Amino acid sequence: MSNDTNVDDTPDDTASEGSEEDPTERQDDTWSDVDETHGSTGSEESDDWEDVGGGPVSDGPADDFGSDANGATTDTDTDIDGTDGVGETVDDLGSTVEVDPGVEVDEENAEDDLLGGLKIDSTGDIEVPDRLVDQVIGQDEARDIIIKAAKQRRHVMMIGSPGTGKSMLAKAMSQLLPKEDLQDVLVYHNPDDGNEPKVRTVPAGKGEQIIDAHKEEARKRNQMRSILMWIIIAIVIAYALLVAGNILLGILAAGIIWLIFRYTSRGTDAMVPNMIVNNGDQRVAPFEDATGAHAGALLGDVRHDPFQSGGMETPSHDRVEPGSIHQANKGVLFVDEMNTLDIRTQQKLMTAIQEGEFAITGQSERSSGAMVQTEPVPCDFVMVAAGNLDAMENMHPALRSRIKGYGYEVYMEDTIEDTPEMRRKYARFVAQEVERDGRLPDFDREAVEEVLLEAKRRSGRKNHLTLHFRSLGGLVRVAGDIARAEDRDHTTRADVLQAKERSRSIEQQLADDYIERRKDYELQVNEGGVEGRVNGLAVMGEDSGIMLPVMAEIAPAQGPGQVIATGQLKEMAEESVQNVSAIIKKFSDVNLSEKDVHIQFVQAGQQGVDGDSASITVATAVISALEDIPVDQSVAMTGSLSVRGDVLPVGGVTHKIEAAAKAGCTKVIIPKANEQDVMIEDEYKEMIEIIPCDNISEVLEVALMGEPEKDSLLDRLKSITGSAFEGQVSPGSSASGSNPSPQ
């Protein structure tokens, strides 16, 4: 580090000179070579600061590459991790799983092996990459965009389900940004206008030297003033004793002199600048998580000062507090759930993005800080905005336009295709979680295989793996905690199975509790035949199956006939009831204009029923009530229904089937299109028979009892319910998502 510095840089020169020069004049000289608009140093200082952390902050010529929307440049001679040479491609990043020497990958059996042919005894054999970007699994498109955005300093908006790696990608981006141009930001007292502090930007690490220099100078000034003060006091007291002969008068005069010196010394202390952004110890580009931040924390604030007069006030520049946008200068600002930000805050954030600088002022209109407004403070950050799908609805359109205009938008995938390579990466994911936690025993091979099976099961799709790594990581940590509590060297498959039971969601615990209570009060029927009653199936949350009976009754209408459904039905559930009505009106011999059809979702709860996965349940219950044909109570069912009578796919079939098995049912009807999505636990396979169906005729053939009446009904139905989707598989999933209501 260079020692050839001016007075603002180190205390060396001031110490040798012992000058009593006024600090205000000294400060004014400093400002002569500072670019007050952008905080970059002039030609005289840049020579002194060449080798100070991060290099000079000067407007020198750019290298042979373009600049971003804010004028920031990126060196093409430096790759994405800041080393010289050719940058890595996307395919190179995390594409292989490194293992310790001597561990092999069996490529021949990789397709059939649960770990993709990875020959390991435990996760201790797997090498975890150092960089976060290499640890990202599954989100190839998002990772590609993050790498490109880091290289070109572009903004990114990531939309997707919680736990899919948005914050991890944002942190990875901060590691990829160049760190050579990090800066410290100082706020100085403005002698011309105390309510408009001056802002100065210097290379990272230089700020502490400047602060130390000013403190040393202030200390020397205070020391000289103290010596002068005591000399004057001694002279006054001596004069009072020897000449005036009045000691009280001397003491009074000495007290007045002391107060005068104390009052005027505050001006000297006010000359010490306030460093609001300190990147001296920063080794990578800053990463600021501003999720849920209020306006002051995000945009900066000025503290209120109750002592605003009488010489007791705190100088305005000392009350300035930086916001996340300023601390993220030359780095990454991450804001999750963008729609939770106040609309005015979003507007100001939009200004900061466009201008690359934003003045700090008091955010409270009634505070004395509202009188203070600094010069513009640099905030040249890369913004990574994130959220769920609903985040786009309440996001300021102009802010989204700026992100899209100067960057990328990416949707985070929920699942990924199950391949041998991905299985190997999932084994590495377990190793990453163990290493990141630092307290968990390594997972043995069978334990890793069980985690992988759970990843398949949670995907809800055949031949796919879930990308909801946060919840999967929770399972890994719970299993590791179980093994650690027993002081074992490795986590076993039994620990993972026990962890699956312990880490059940609140919805699953409620569902299990509902099932047990219904057994106690005999509200659950799983044998015999009952007219107008069907065991429907639903999911609560994302992974909690529950049996939800539906009852139907036909009654004479007092006026025009209508369909009355109760059970806190949401909009989609009400529409599914209307679709069922179309089927019933078409085949039934009963004049429904003179009948009321009552449909009850038994024990739906306060949350109500959302989604259309109970359509075939409602149709079966109503048809059974109309035709006086009993329904087999050992059968449970789930499926959507078209107005033509086709059974359409729904979500959560695996959890619904398991709920039916827990409730004691022996058969379950599901849409044929969902047959490939069934991945139930081994313990349930022998307990229940899964019957896929294409249309309502097939559903009724399985569910209804009583041969003559049933056969006559099916003959009528088959003539009017031809499949409009024959040979097609609808990709829709009406019960996916995080809604806690039964679906």
Side-chain angles (χ1 to χ4, degrees):
M1 183 175 290
S2 173
N3 292 323
D4 183 17
T5 54
N6 61 17
V7 70
D8 278 339
D9 301 337
T10 63
D12 297 340
D13 295 336
T14 58
S16 61
E17 292 175 6
S19 171
E20 296 183 23
E21 178 183 352
D22 183 62
T24 304
E25 297 174 1
R26 206 69 171 277
Q27 182 181 332
D28 291 339
D29 292 338
T30 300
W31 281 103
S32 64
D33 57 357
V34 177
D35 180 350
E36 296 182 11
T37 303
H38 299 290
S40 60
T41 60
S43 59
E44 294 181 10
E45 282 191 328
S46 62
D47 293 336
D48 295 328
W49 293 349
E50 279 182 1
D51 49 6
V52 176
V57 185
S58 59
D59 296 327
D63 293 326
D64 354 345
F65 49 85
S67 62
D68 70 359
N70 295 325
T73 54
T74 309
D75 191 351
T76 52
D77 294 332
T78 304
D79 70 7
I80 56 176
D81 65 351
T83 58
D84 294 335
V86 180
E88 297 177 73
T89 64
V90 180
D91 294 334
D92 295 331
L93 298 175
S95 58
T96 59
V97 178
E98 298 295 337
V99 294
D100 288 344
V103 180
E104 301 177 357
V105 176
D106 185 0
E107 295 291 352
E108 293 183 2
N109 300 318
E111 196 69 38
D112 299 326
D113 184 41
L114 267 176
L115 299 186
L118 198 60
K119 293 186 175 181
I120 59 169
D121 294 326
S122 72
T123 53
D125 298 329
I126 301 176
E127 183 178 336
V128 177
D130 293 329
R131 300 189 309 174
L132 280 176
V133 72
D134 299 334
Q135 297 179 18
V136 176
I137 297 173
Q139 304 289 355
D140 291 338
E141 182 182 358
R143 185 180 56 182
D144 183 15
I145 287 175
I146 286 294
I147 294 170
K148 291 177 181 176
K151 190 171 185 178
Q152 300 299 331
R153 292 189 62 83
R154 306 292 190 212
H155 305 299
V156 179
M157 182 166 73
M158 294 184 288
I159 299 297
S161 303
T164 51
K166 297 187 287 292
S167 60
M168 183 177 181
L169 282 166
K171 289 181 182 177
M173 189 178 188
S174 68
Q175 294 181 356
L176 301 179
L177 289 173
K179 54 184 177 294
E180 289 79 8
D181 55 354
L182 297 184
Q183 299 170 332
D184 294 340
V185 179
L186 302 171
V187 180
Y188 285 82
H189 171 67
N190 186 351
D192 298 327
D193 185 356
N195 286 328
E196 189 179 355
K198 291 181 175 292
V199 174
R200 181 181 183 188
T201 304
V202 298
K206 196 67 180 177
E208 291 183 350
Q209 298 180 31
I210 295 175
I211 295 290
D212 290 342
H214 277 277
K215 285 182 177 179
E216 178 66 17
E217 187 172 353
R219 186 189 66 79
K220 292 185 179 218
R221 288 180 181 277
N222 288 334
Q223 186 178 27
M224 295 295 295
R225 292 175 67 87
S226 295
I227 293 173
L228 180 61
M229 178 189 70
W230 289 114
I231 291 174
I232 294 174
I233 289 175
I235 292 172
V236 168
I237 292 177
Y239 177 82
L241 283 173
L242 300 177
V243 179
N246 190 340
I247 186 62
L248 292 177
L249 181 63
I251 294 174
L252 180 61
I256 293 173
I257 293 171
W258 183 82
L259 287 174
I260 291 173
F261 272 86
R262 288 286 295 177
Y263 180 84
T264 56
S265 66
R266 294 181 61 84
T268 303
D269 296 337
M271 295 303 104
V272 179
N274 175 22
M275 183 160 56
I276 60 174
V277 177
N278 183 3
N279 285 319
D281 297 328
Q282 193 75 21
R283 294 294 174 261
V284 296
F287 173 81
E288 287 295 322
D289 188 346
T291 302
H294 57 80
L298 180 64
L299 305 171
D301 205 348
V302 179
R303 296 194 307 273
H304 173 67
D305 184 7
F307 305 103
Q308 300 180 49
S309 60
M312 300 182 66
E313 69 275 5
T314 303
S316 59
H317 75 282
D318 270 344
R319 294 186 282 123
V320 173
E321 297 289 343
S324 295
I325 62 173
H326 306 112
Q327 293 173 323
N329 185 39
K330 303 300 181 183
V332 173
L333 178 71
F334 176 65
V335 183
D336 202 356
E337 304 301 337
M338 280 292 300
N339 54 321
T340 61
L341 289 181
D342 181 78
I343 196 70
R344 290 176 296 180
T345 303
Q346 292 189 43
Q347 288 175 325
K348 293 176 181 178
L349 182 60
M350 177 176 59
T351 302
I353 290 174
Q354 184 166 344
E355 301 297 330
E357 55 185 17
F358 193 82
I360 298 177
T361 187
Q363 295 297 324
S364 174
E365 296 178 355
R366 299 186 178 184
S367 168
S368 63
M371 300 171 58
V372 178
Q373 182 166 348
T374 69
E375 293 179 340
V377 180
C379 56
D380 180 18
F381 55 83
V382 174
M383 180 171 178
V384 178
N388 302 327
L389 283 173
D390 61 349
M392 296 184 293
E393 298 176 5
N394 298 323
M395 188 175 177
H396 197 294
L399 176 59
R400 183 182 175 189
S401 175
R402 276 167 175 74
I403 295 175
K404 189 174 182 180
Y406 299 117
Y408 302 89
E409 290 186 348
V410 58
Y411 179 74
M412 305 292 287
E413 298 290 341
D414 288 327
T415 63
I416 192 167
E417 187 176 354
D418 180 12
T419 64
E421 181 185 4
M422 286 310 303
R423 293 178 211 157
R424 292 195 289 269
K425 288 185 179 181
Y426 269 73
R428 192 187 70 200
F429 161 74
V430 179
Q432 289 173 185
E433 292 299 306
V434 171
E435 182 178 282
R436 185 176 292 120
D437 187 275
R439 294 167 294 180
L440 304 180
D442 287 327
F443 279 53
D444 64 22
R445 182 183 179 87
E446 290 185 350
V448 177
E449 289 176 347
E450 187 60 38
V451 172
L452 193 69
L453 287 173
E454 184 65 13
K456 288 185 177 185
R457 183 171 177 270
R458 293 187 181 189
S459 71
R461 297 176 63 187
K462 189 77 170 180
N463 298 323
H464 277 73
L465 297 165
T466 183
L467 290 178
H468 290 253
F469 286 111
R470 183 175 296 144
S471 59
L472 201 61
L475 175 66
V476 171
R477 283 181 284 277
V478 173
D481 288 343
I482 293 172
R484 186 168 180 262
E486 298 181 8
D487 200 23
R488 283 190 268 106
D489 294 334
H490 288 87
T491 305
T492 65
R493 179 176 180 269
D495 297 325
V496 178
L497 292 175
Q498 188 177 350
K500 286 167 66 175
E501 178 67 21
R502 287 190 182 180
S503 62
R504 293 177 302 159
S505 66
I506 294 296
E507 290 87 355
Q508 185 60 60
Q509 294 177 49
L510 283 172
D512 292 343
D513 186 54
Y514 286 162
I515 291 173
E516 289 302 318
R517 289 192 180 190
R518 287 174 183 176
K519 288 179 180 178
D520 293 341
Y521 293 98
E522 297 184 355
L523 295 176
Q524 200 159 271
V525 181
N526 53 27
E527 58 184 17
V530 179
E531 296 174 0
R533 185 190 187 280
V534 181
N535 288 321
L537 297 170
V539 288
M540 298 176 65
E542 296 180 352
D543 59 355
S544 310
I546 189 170
M547 197 156 80
L548 188 67
V550 175
M551 294 185 181
E553 188 65 55
I554 311 299
Q558 301 298 322
Q562 56 182 330
V563 177
I564 303 169
T566 59
Q568 298 278 0
L569 271 63
K570 305 292 176 66
E571 183 177 354
M572 187 179 291
E574 288 182 351
E575 291 176 355
S576 71
V577 172
Q578 299 302 322
N579 292 341
V580 169
S581 301
I583 294 288
I584 296 169
K585 290 174 184 176
K586 189 169 182 180
F587 91 90
S588 178
D589 293 334
V590 180
N591 186 0
L592 289 180
S593 63
E594 300 176 355
K595 302 286 185 180
D596 285 339
V597 180
H598 294 264
I599 302 169
Q600 180 187 11
F601 287 79
V602 181
Q603 289 188 320
Q606 294 181 350
Q607 297 88 0
V609 178
D610 193 9
D612 61 347
S613 64
S615 298
I616 64 170
T617 309
V618 172
T620 303
V622 173
I623 292 171
S624 169
L626 276 172
E627 301 293 328
D628 294 328
I629 303 175
V631 176
D632 187 352
Q633 297 301 300
S634 67
V635 177
M637 62 182 69
T638 182
S640 182
L641 193 64
S642 75
V643 293
R644 293 281 304 273
D646 300 288
V647 178
L648 308 180
V650 294
V653 288
T654 297
H655 307 296
K656 293 175 180 178
I657 293 171
E658 292 179 353
K662 289 179 183 178
C665 295
T666 58
K667 298 178 183 178
V668 61
I669 297 173
I670 65 169
K672 191 170 183 62
N674 283 127
E675 189 175 7
Q676 61 178 357
D677 300 329
V678 176
M679 286 172 284
I680 62 175
E681 299 276 11
D682 293 339
E683 61 184 290
Y684 300 114
K685 290 181 179 178
E686 302 297 326
M687 297 171 61
I688 197 161
E689 178 186 359
I690 302 170
I691 305 173
C693 293
D694 269 329
N695 56 62
I696 190 64
S697 300
E698 296 178 4
V699 172
L700 295 176
E701 187 171 359
V702 175
L704 297 182
M705 304 174 69
E707 294 303 325
E709 299 86 352
K710 171 181 170 182
D711 293 341
S712 173
L713 172 63
L714 292 177
D715 289 340
R716 277 184 288 153
L717 272 177
K718 288 177 181 178
S719 65
I720 64 171
T721 58
S723 177
F725 296 92
E726 192 170 354
Q728 300 181 17
V729 177
S730 174
S733 178
S734 61
S736 62
S738 59
N739 193 325
S741 304
Q743 301 178 41

